[in-house]
Amino acid sequence: MTYQHVRAAAYAPDPAQGPFKIPLHTLCLPAGWEGPLQRLREHGQGEGRSRTYRRVPTQQINQLMRATAPDVVTVDSTATFGADRPWLYCARPYPAPVTNLYVATWLKSLRRNADDPEATRLLLDCFRDLDTGSLNWQPAEVDLLEQDLSPGGTALPAPHVYRLLPDELAARIARQEPYEHGGRRLTFHQVAGVSGARGVGSGGAELMSWPPIQYVPGKGDRRPAYYSAVIRVTVRTVPFSAVPRVHLSAGVRRFVTGKVFMPYRRGVSVYLRPDASLVPDGPVPQRFSVAMLQWRNGTTDWRQGGTEGMLAAVTALDALPSADRLIKEADYWIGEGGNGRDGIRLAVGHQAAMGKHLINTGLMPSERRRLIEWAEQALAPEFVPVPKLERSRYARPPRRHLAKLPSVPKNATPEKKAEILAKSAPLSAENAAVRRRTLAAALDGTDLVGVVLHQTDDQRDRIVAAAEKDLGLEAHRREQGPETWEWQAEELTVRLHARPLGLLGAPLGGDRVPRAGREHDEAIGERRTRVAEAMASLRTSVPGAQIAIVELEWEPFKREKRRADPKHAIRLGCADAGLVTQFIQPLDASLEKDKAEEEAALRAEAAWADALRQTGMRLVPQHTLGELFPEGLNQVAFHLVERRHDGPTGKAQFTPIAVLLRPGAKCVLGRSADMHEWVPYPELLKGLTGRVRGEDCQTVAQQSALTAAFVKNTLSGLRSSPTLVLAHAQDLRKRWPWLRNDGLEQDRIGLDGGPSQRIGLYGKQLRVVRVADSDRDETAQWWAEREENDEELAGQQRGGFTMGVWLPRAPGESGRVFYSTADKASTQTKLTNDDAKLTPHVNAKGRNAYRPTANGWNPELLEVTVACLQPGDDPEAWAAFVHQQRLCRDDYRDVLGLPLALHLARLADEYALPHDDEEAVDPLLEAAADSKACRPGQLSFHFDEDADDGTAEATE
């Protein structure tokens, strides 16, 4: 029976409760501090820059307080001088001497050049001019529901609400009786938060269970694994809704056992709770602190450590374990039963970059439901759950291009299995013929010629077998190895040429990992040239080659050997020779033989399918919405291809692109901002390799202007045809501000930073749909309540999955926001919805369902905002159309995370590997990435939301 409702872990203020105000103590920066701090910060920055640089960095002091004063809350990345907007909040005043110590430490950190006498004089003048004794904590009553409304009718919570409201609700959750299930109790404690930019990207609040759960493997002499449950509380808004939301999300944080493998260029979070304050005369912390370990120049140390570091300046370093010892035996300070050692409880967070962990990530829906429903009790009475989402009346899936094959039951007898396979044979043959015709159209009459650069003969043979099976070529084979395979079908000819990868796949730099900068650049350039020459030589004997499938071992290029990875150089060289590339790993020797063989075959099939998609081959889902949609509807998806200067090649890139699914076109089309016409998808991909950001595209304003001009130019060329624009909120809104929640207005579009205009001015056949995913909890976690379909499960808190389009029914909804969900992933064949990893659990059949090592997964709630329509359009139908574009069952095993056009646009990122031959420094400061212009009388305090705290990998 199909579910008709799903439950989102989202909560809205109860209007019957009125205001929500709490007493706190606040600390403001005195108005008289602005001048001295500005002079200190601007010294030595150059004539042109000093007049415009209005930012005093506080990332260092915020990290210091997060590590040593976790009960202090910093609410925003900007701090106004004067009493209008406090900088710090706390339940109880921090001792004045400790507060002054933090401020003095911060001021010293602003010093730019220790050898500059003028800088030293300015620092001393700054100390003299600033009266740190005037820093007094003041009692205040803070409104946690303070907000305005955007022109589009969207709630605009005050900046402090994004941090203080989650903080208050998290404190309530922590005060509840422990969570209990299956005979195990979990006690939750707050964790020091990360302050970030205001709005949807801000940090929220977090709780973590302690003591950690200990799992001892049943066989072998492996050490115990440690992990904790994590609950996050965030404030979010919904387009066109005047009511803010609180989202609860649940996940798992894993801890390192034994040695800490430091990820390349990243910090590692250390969660600690000492018995006494790390800072003399400071209060005993009530929350877990978060300090950072960092690896630089071959050594590991506490971030802000060392004799000149801020931890030493506040005398906290002596209370922390030695970093050298900690990375050798990370779990020592967890202690027996989580009680810690040496007066401190401490655990090092595990990151995916460190390698495999005995405990896998994620929670399954029943356990997620139990934990969230326990936590939500603390939100009452001020917040109530939003009404359940209702299934859309447009429930049919799209029509398929390929026939669905009958499934083979696991317990089928050999005779039954043979019968099913016999029935499937003609269907499989017809499906293969459809693929061949579709591929032939994309190739526009040319043969498909591929190169397999292999490291093992077995994986080469699997790729060949996958190609023959996918296109139904067995009966059309004309040549069979060992270097060339050829098939001649009626629709097209396919040739695969296999060559050993050889030294082209050797580590960059040979026996020594190249150093960052010029040496790495030269290593990439040298390998790129060798690959391009090898592929060009190969094409003389293999004319017409379009794709290269490259088998490359990835394991040797992890962690500190990342710069030796030749993958980027190989892709660049292949692109220079006119080939798109798809990489595949060799057989995983760490798995059991049968499992390894099965996985290797699946990898080969997936690699072959991905290679075909890069040719522009298209099987676009066919909607089942009838006359509700215009004939010949174009789908155009915009995307920003970006690479930071601290990425794999050390070069930055910013390139707006668009992908077009045009009815009647033979293949997927694409274009970038410097192209004057649409080109086949593989040409777009190859054109993205090797670019760097130009001097005319360095600032936020320049990039926003380029994006706006590109969108305008693209839409003007489609003006005469029905066109649906698809935009991914988290990707585009940083350079297309209209796509933010506070920028959207129904049926009006803004492109150049000015007032939004009626959609009709850009075309009478244009529609715009924005989608937002669950990144940073922007959309809530969800589940289907199993008792809806089985009344016997009432009260057992069982959860399930379901696929569909969903309508919110909360009062005041706009009718323009919908949600799309997917069902269970095909990789979860051995998981059940009742599997648990936090507490023991028995499923409905009375079997043990406690599986800590299982890899849980919950499909995200994709928000579909139908922003701009034409008169007479049905918003629900357009949301259903976008949902159907995720259901590409002909091409993909599972539902896509984004609609097909956006999915293909995002895949272009794999080709954004900027590189040039000259050493360069990125001129765009990270601090300005997403900032607004500062108002007079205000300094901007930047908190890096992408700081290396490891929490993204550790919590889900």
Side-chain angles (χ1 to χ4, degrees), residues 538-549:
L538 179 61
R539 292 189 73 176
T540 59
S541 58
V542 183
Q546 302 118 318
I547 59 176
I549 301 178

Side-chain angles (χ1 to χ4, degrees), residues 228-245:
S228 289
V230 172
I231 298 173
R232 280 184 54 82
V233 188
T234 49
V235 171
R236 297 293 179 253
T237 61
V238 175
F240 314 132
S241 172
V243 180
R245 306 288 196 273

Side-chain angles (χ1 to χ4, degrees), residues 165-473:
L165 177 54
D167 193 76
E168 169 65 16
L169 297 178
R172 290 186 179 186
I173 295 172
R175 289 195 294 266
Q176 290 192 133
E177 289 296 315
Y179 170 79
E180 185 172 2
H181 183 80
R184 176 179 291 169
R185 292 161 60 93
L186 300 180
T187 301
F188 282 84
H189 306 267
Q190 281 184 266
V191 178
V194 179
S195 298
R198 73 186 71 175
V200 294
S202 57
E206 185 178 272
L207 302 105
M208 183 174 73
S209 67
W210 194 270
I213 304 165
Q214 178 178 325
Y215 176 75
V216 181
K219 56 183 179 180
D221 56 354
R222 301 173 68 179
R223 301 175 67 165
Y226 295 95
Y227 61 105
S228 289
V230 172
I231 298 173
R232 280 184 54 82
V233 188
T234 49
V235 171
R236 297 293 179 253
T237 61
V238 175
F240 314 132
S241 172
V243 180
R245 306 288 196 273
V246 168
H247 290 172
L248 295 181
S249 61
V252 171
R253 171 164 291 127
R254 301 170 294 172
F255 300 118
V256 176
T257 299
K259 186 176 180 179
V260 180
F261 292 95
M262 299 296 294
Y264 174 72
R265 280 189 175 179
R266 300 201 62 179
V268 174
S269 299
V270 180
Y271 301 88
L272 52 98
R273 192 174 180 191
D275 294 336
S277 173
L278 296 177
V279 179
D281 301 322
V284 178
Q286 301 302 306
R287 308 178 183 190
F288 271 90
S289 301
V290 184
M292 303 293 296
L293 289 173
Q294 64 181 10
W295 182 86
R296 285 184 180 177
N297 301 322
T299 62
T300 302
D301 201 353
W302 292 102
R303 183 172 292 177
Q304 303 179 331
T307 56
E308 299 296 325
M310 298 175 79
L311 284 172
V314 297
T315 65
L317 197 60
D318 293 341
L320 295 173
S322 161
D324 288 338
R325 184 182 176 190
L326 179 58
I327 63 171
K328 295 176 182 178
E329 197 173 5
D331 53 322
Y332 172 82
W333 281 271
I334 292 176
E336 188 69 27
N339 291 322
R341 298 179 187 273
D342 303 330
I344 192 170
R345 304 164 197 75
L346 183 152
V348 180
H350 175 85
Q351 298 181 25
M354 296 177 179
K356 293 182 179 180
H357 194 281
L358 185 59
I359 306 300
N360 266 305
T361 58
L363 300 176
M364 294 302 283
S366 291
E367 185 166 48
R368 187 185 305 274
R369 176 185 178 182
R370 289 193 297 271
L371 185 55
I372 288 179
E373 289 185 341
W374 168 82
E376 72 182 18
Q377 300 174 69
L379 277 56
E382 288 83 4
F383 285 85
V384 295
V386 300
K388 297 176 184 178
L389 304 176
E390 295 183 8
R391 185 178 291 277
S392 169
R393 64 183 184 273
Y394 301 116
R396 293 181 58 194
R399 292 189 298 273
R400 300 180 62 155
H401 295 267
L402 308 177
K404 184 178 180 180
L405 302 179
S407 59
V408 180
K410 292 182 179 180
N411 57 354
T413 63
E415 295 78 11
K416 184 64 177 179
K417 182 177 181 179
E419 179 185 344
I420 294 174
L421 293 177
K423 292 181 179 179
S424 300
L427 297 177
S428 297
E430 178 54 31
N431 287 346
V434 172
R435 291 194 192 94
R436 293 197 300 270
R437 292 192 293 269
T438 305
L439 178 59
L443 298 174
D444 199 19
T446 63
D447 298 342
L448 175 66
V449 182
V451 177
V452 180
L453 301 176
H454 61 94
Q455 291 181 314
T456 63
D457 292 347
D458 289 346
Q459 202 70 316
R460 173 203 62 191
D461 294 342
R462 293 186 189 97
I463 293 169
V464 172
E468 189 171 80
K469 176 183 176 182
D470 183 61
L471 296 176
L473 297 172

Side-chain angles (χ1 to χ4, degrees), residues 453-460 499-502 505-506 550-554 557 584-586:
L453 301 176
H454 61 94
Q455 291 181 314
T456 63
D457 292 347
D458 289 346
Q459 202 70 316
R460 173 203 62 191
R499 300 290 188 273
L501 179 62
V550 184
E551 180 187 8
L552 182 67
E553 177 63 61
W554 295 359
F557 307 117
I584 181 174
Q585 296 186 61

Side-chain angles (χ1 to χ4, degrees), residues 64 86 110 307 690 692 721 894 936:
L64 178 66
L110 299 180
T307 56
V692 293
S721 304
D894 295 310

